[in-house]
Amino acid sequence: MPNMTAEQMIDYLYELPEQFKVSLNMDINVADKYHKDYSNILVSGLGGSAIGGDILKDYAATSASIPIMVNRDYTIPAFVNEKTLFFAISYSGNTEETINAYQEAQAKDAKIICITSGGKLADLAQKNGNLILRVPSGLVPRAATGYLFAPLALAMEKLGYLKGVKADLEETYLVLTKLRSSINPDAEPSENTARLIAAKLKHALPVIWGASGLSAAAALRWKAQINENAKCPAYYNLFPELNHNEIVGFETAENIYKNMCLVILKDRFDREQVKKRMEITKDIVQDKVKNIMEVNSEGQSFLARFYSLVYLGDYVSLYLALEYGINPTPVKVIDYLKGELAK
């Protein structure tokens, strides 16, 4: 999308809550041929189009009776067969890795549902008789997370693998619209949490720490959004795993971690031992890093709490781009890479 402006990304972010409303009104009619007993579910996508699979995997972890996995590659695992439910997700419909994975799944007789705004994936799905959940076009993939997740979850509810999705999406809409009022560009800057965090991240190395479960995919999302919108490095890790390796890495290379800003994503339903780990770890590193910030989820349902973390992080990445004087919308390096690969 050439010649896109920073104002367009601001508009995209502002309108994210409405994506859940639009998705709830979609006609998701899952044909009878998809209603069967599956052995596994595989969600295949890359970048912003893959985040829906990450959310689904964690959202369904306590309720789904079969494994749900995410695939970010040209190829698919050997276990994929006619008992696999395969979701191919590509916002543009032209992601070459996803198209190749789709073709492999088709060859293995998996039951395939495609989520896309069009492109080659939609053409192939139509030709092969696969269900297409077509989402509105005109965005960049990383700004379409509502469209790329909500139809996926609603299809899973239709198939009986999830319950209460509609209610959770309704609450997510309400929580995000309330949150938006305090973090959008018109909000008072001195009370805008997203702006305040972005200002502290400027000229620092952002490292996002979440916890296995609710904030795992949220931490990845923060990292990716800072990369793509603010065009700067960022990294993430998760409790409790980081206590078994990363925490030891603060004993050398002081010139690196003295410029590190830690953002810890927290949820009131984190395990008590994980909460203790967070506090102990903060004590260990607080005198070594530039800053430590904590972000708490809001809402009741898993989805509302998850997306409250994501939405704040999206705005942080936008404001960090503006702090650097950068247009957050283009991703020139990715476009260049795709051009070179196409030669």
Side-chain angles (χ1 to χ4, degrees):
M1 294 183 176
N3 303 318
M4 300 192 77
T5 65
E7 287 71 21
Q8 286 172 295
M9 184 60 76
I10 292 171
D11 290 342
Y12 293 160
L13 280 187
Y14 190 88
E15 294 165 3
L16 174 62
E18 280 68 39
Q19 293 183 24
F20 297 100
K21 275 292 188 185
V22 171
S23 298
L24 282 165
N25 291 324
M26 287 176 62
D27 181 19
I28 298 180
N29 185 16
V30 183
D32 289 343
K33 70 176 183 179
Y34 287 97
H35 291 263
K36 58 183 293 186
D37 291 329
Y38 296 105
S39 298
N40 51 76
I41 296 170
L42 187 66
V43 182
S44 195
L46 276 295
S49 296
I51 193 71
D54 294 315
I55 304 166
L56 178 70
K57 178 170 62 67
D58 294 336
Y59 179 44
T62 60
S63 59
S65 58
I66 60 176
I68 299 173
M69 285 156 282
V70 182
N71 183 63
R72 288 177 164 88
D73 206 347
Y74 289 91
T75 60
I76 59 177
F79 64 73
V80 173
N81 57 26
E82 69 280 358
K83 290 189 174 183
T84 297
L85 176 59
F86 184 90
F87 287 94
I89 304 181
S90 170
Y91 182 69
S92 68
N94 295 315
T95 309
E96 67 176 33
E97 300 97 324
T98 305
I99 290 171
N100 196 81
Y102 163 88
Q103 291 172 325
E104 288 193 6
Q106 182 71 26
K108 289 192 169 188
D109 295 325
K111 283 288 184 289
I112 300 175
I113 297 175
C114 297
I115 300 177
T116 184
S117 66
K120 185 176 179 181
L121 182 62
D123 293 340
L124 289 170
Q126 188 169 9
K127 176 184 175 182
N128 293 320
N130 308 129
L131 174 62
I132 305 171
L133 301 180
R134 197 179 292 268
V135 300
S137 60
L139 302 173
V140 291
R142 64 187 183 280
T145 177
Y147 289 142
L148 296 174
F149 169 74
L152 172 63
L154 289 166
M156 289 283 287
E157 184 175 43
K158 288 273 189 178
L159 292 168
Y161 287 100
L162 290 175
K163 294 181 180 179
V165 173
K166 289 183 178 180
D168 289 353
L169 291 175
E170 288 281 4
E171 191 210 352
T172 299
Y173 168 76
L174 294 174
V175 167
L176 294 194
T177 52
K178 180 181 177 181
L179 178 60
R180 178 172 64 189
S181 66
S182 64
I183 61 174
N184 79 77
D186 293 329
E188 172 59 41
S190 64
E191 299 177 3
N192 188 323
T193 303
R195 282 192 185 275
L196 297 173
I197 293 174
K200 291 182 179 181
L201 292 180
K202 187 179 182 182
H203 301 313
L205 176 63
V207 175
I208 317 303
W209 283 350
S212 296
L214 181 131
S215 60
L220 170 59
R221 172 74 175 186
W222 271 65
K223 177 262 184 200
Q225 288 291 82
I226 291 172
N227 290 156
E228 291 194 63
N229 287 338
K231 325 302 181 193
C232 69
Y235 302 91
Y236 85 104
N237 209 335
L238 306 176
F239 290 97
E241 173 65 21
L242 69 85
N243 285 151
H244 294 266
N245 38 62
E246 186 164 320
I247 191 60
V248 186
F250 287 81
E251 295 184 14
T252 61
E254 180 181 351
N255 61 319
I256 295 176
Y257 56 71
K258 72 179 181 181
N259 290 314
M260 181 185 296
C261 276
L262 294 175
V263 179
I264 302 177
L265 307 184
K266 304 178 75 173
D267 180 64
R268 67 182 181 279
F269 294 114
D270 287 332
R271 291 177 64 92
E272 288 303 317
Q273 282 298 99
V274 168
K275 292 179 182 178
K276 290 180 182 178
R277 286 177 177 274
M278 289 178 174
E279 293 305 311
I280 295 169
T281 304
K282 279 169 50 185
D283 290 341
I284 293 171
V285 303
Q286 64 183 355
D287 294 330
K288 299 183 178 184
V289 300
K290 186 175 182 179
N291 218 320
I292 300 177
M293 292 164 279
E294 298 181 5
V295 175
N296 292 289
S297 65
E298 301 178 24
Q300 298 299 318
S301 68
F302 179 101
L303 291 184
R305 288 165 20 237
F306 170 83
Y307 270 107
S308 72
L309 294 174
V310 165
Y311 202 33
L312 177 65
D314 285 0
Y315 267 104
V316 168
S317 69
L318 168 67
Y319 294 136
L320 184 56
L322 299 180
E323 286 275 352
Y324 283 124
I326 292 172
N327 181 352
T329 312
V331 282
K332 295 177 181 178
V333 174
I334 295 176
D335 293 338
Y336 170 79
L337 177 63
K338 290 180 177 179
E340 291 297 299
L341 288 169
K343 289 181 180 178

